[in-house]
Amino acid sequence: MPEGDSYVHAAYAARPILLDEEIVAVEGSAPSIRRYSSRIVGSTVGEVRTYGKHLFVDLDSGYSVHVHLAMNGTLRVRSSGPVRPGPARLVLVTEQGIVTVSGTKDVEADRTPALDARVLEPLGPDLIADEFDWTDFERRARKAGPDISVADFLLDQRVMAGVGNVYKNEVAFLERLNPMQSIGTLEFERLRAMAERSRTLLRANRRPGKRVTTGDWRRSLWVYGREGRPCRRCGTTIRQTWFGAPEPRVTYWCPRCQPAD
Ligand SMILES: [Zn+2]
């Protein structure tokens, strides 16, 4: 599942193909990519940047391409070969190679300031970035409301940007919080600890490779995907349910390590 670390990996893969290179061709089914293709082809890539679960390719034409990989999107890189748009949402071609995005509808082009205003302004601070604005986080966390669950708080990109469903489950386990309990029962310090833990895990997984939250790649995750198996800490059977609003997401927890409050 694409989470904040996946975007850093995607940008890392795409930079050798795109950075400081001229776009010689663009393909793909995203409507605004087609509409602005004349602003994309012939322009040079100034930057490939990420913020939370968003990736931007900035062009010297003053336009940018924005990619959100959603639940199942992928960004692939090839150094050569034929351009095959197929079902791809976006294909960017330079002399160095081809970047293809598929499996997501959330690909668009627009003027850079318009995209930044629309995509970035609602988002909380980026967890994986070198700097994290704790004052902004606190203001946003206090606005989240006491009834929101631990699970939904972790996923709320308006509070902090970058946690997806895998990290949601892993952070709640490591913080010994039941994912279904409401944050109104918690001291503010516990909210801050969730952000710190999310930041530590995402930043530890910045390098491409297997996502590890346990510190041991042979048993890489604590609870995610482990329903029916023994808790790695206490041996109790890990449970799974679908939980959350507005859209229920698969949720795992250890009933002993993360008791309901
Ligand atoms: Zn346990």
Side-chain angles (χ1 to χ4, degrees):
M1 179 158 306
E3 312 202 14
D5 50 355
S6 319
Y7 287 82
V8 170
H9 302 170
Y12 182 81
R15 278 188 192 109
I17 307 292
L18 298 179
L19 202 57
D20 299 324
E21 295 291 329
E22 182 185 328
I23 305 293
V24 296
V26 61
E27 301 279 353
S29 59
S32 68
I33 297 295
R34 291 167 172 269
R35 189 180 321 133
Y36 293 120
S37 62
S38 66
R39 310 285 182 170
I40 299 171
V41 174
S43 57
T44 298
V45 176
E47 201 174 348
V48 179
R49 63 192 159 99
T50 66
Y51 191 104
K53 296 191 276 183
H54 300 272
L55 182 143
F56 298 87
V57 178
D58 295 337
L59 303 163
D60 68 354
S61 58
Y63 282 71
S64 294
V65 175
H66 164 230
V67 174
H68 175 59
L69 296 171
M71 304 278 266
N72 299 307
T74 55
L75 181 148
R76 295 190 198 288
V77 169
R78 281 184 292 141
S79 55
S80 62
V83 178
R84 291 185 298 259
R89 205 63 177 161
L90 170 72
V91 182
L92 292 173
V93 184
T94 72
E95 297 238 306
Q96 303 301 321
I98 303 161
V99 172
T100 304
V101 176
S102 45
T104 172
K105 286 183 175 175
D106 296 341
V107 175
E108 58 178 342
D110 203 343
R111 295 183 68 85
T112 306
L115 265 181
D116 281 354
R118 192 162 67 238
V119 178
L120 297 184
E121 275 177 20
L123 299 179
D126 184 6
L127 287 158
I128 208 166
D130 291 341
E131 303 289 332
F132 188 82
D133 185 342
W134 286 103
T135 308
D136 190 30
F137 165 77
E138 179 166 349
R139 187 177 58 79
R140 289 167 175 272
R142 290 195 190 280
K143 269 202 328 208
D147 297 331
I148 186 174
S149 66
V150 163
D152 286 341
F153 176 80
L154 284 162
L155 289 175
D156 191 343
Q157 305 295 302
R158 295 166 302 183
V159 176
M160 53 184 182
V163 170
N165 208 41
V166 176
Y167 285 108
K168 172 197 88 177
N169 285 286
E170 297 295 292
V171 169
F173 176 84
L174 283 163
E175 290 301 315
R176 295 180 179 258
L177 290 169
N178 187 280
M180 276 78 83
Q181 85 182 82
S182 58
I183 64 166
T185 60
L186 303 173
E187 298 290 325
F188 183 78
E189 275 313 303
R190 301 300 301 278
L191 307 187
R192 191 183 161 97
M194 277 193 267
E196 275 177 353
R197 182 78 72 174
S198 304
R199 191 163 154 70
T200 300
L201 294 183
L202 279 160
R203 285 175 64 78
N205 284 285
R206 273 177 301 179
R207 281 166 182 264
K210 189 176 182 180
R211 184 179 283 147
V212 178
T213 60
T214 56
D216 182 348
W217 62 270
R218 290 164 300 185
R219 44 204 287 284
S220 55
L221 300 174
W222 290 105
V223 290
Y224 187 88
R226 300 194 66 249
E227 75 276 15
R229 299 172 67 189
C231 172
R232 298 194 194 284
R233 189 188 275 147
C234 75
T236 303
T237 302
I238 300 295
R239 298 192 50 194
Q240 182 220 69
T241 190
W242 289 80
F243 174 80
E247 183 191 7
R249 305 286 302 274
V250 65
T251 300
Y252 304 88
W253 78 105
C254 169
R256 182 156 177 209
C257 293
Q258 301 164 270
D261 201 38

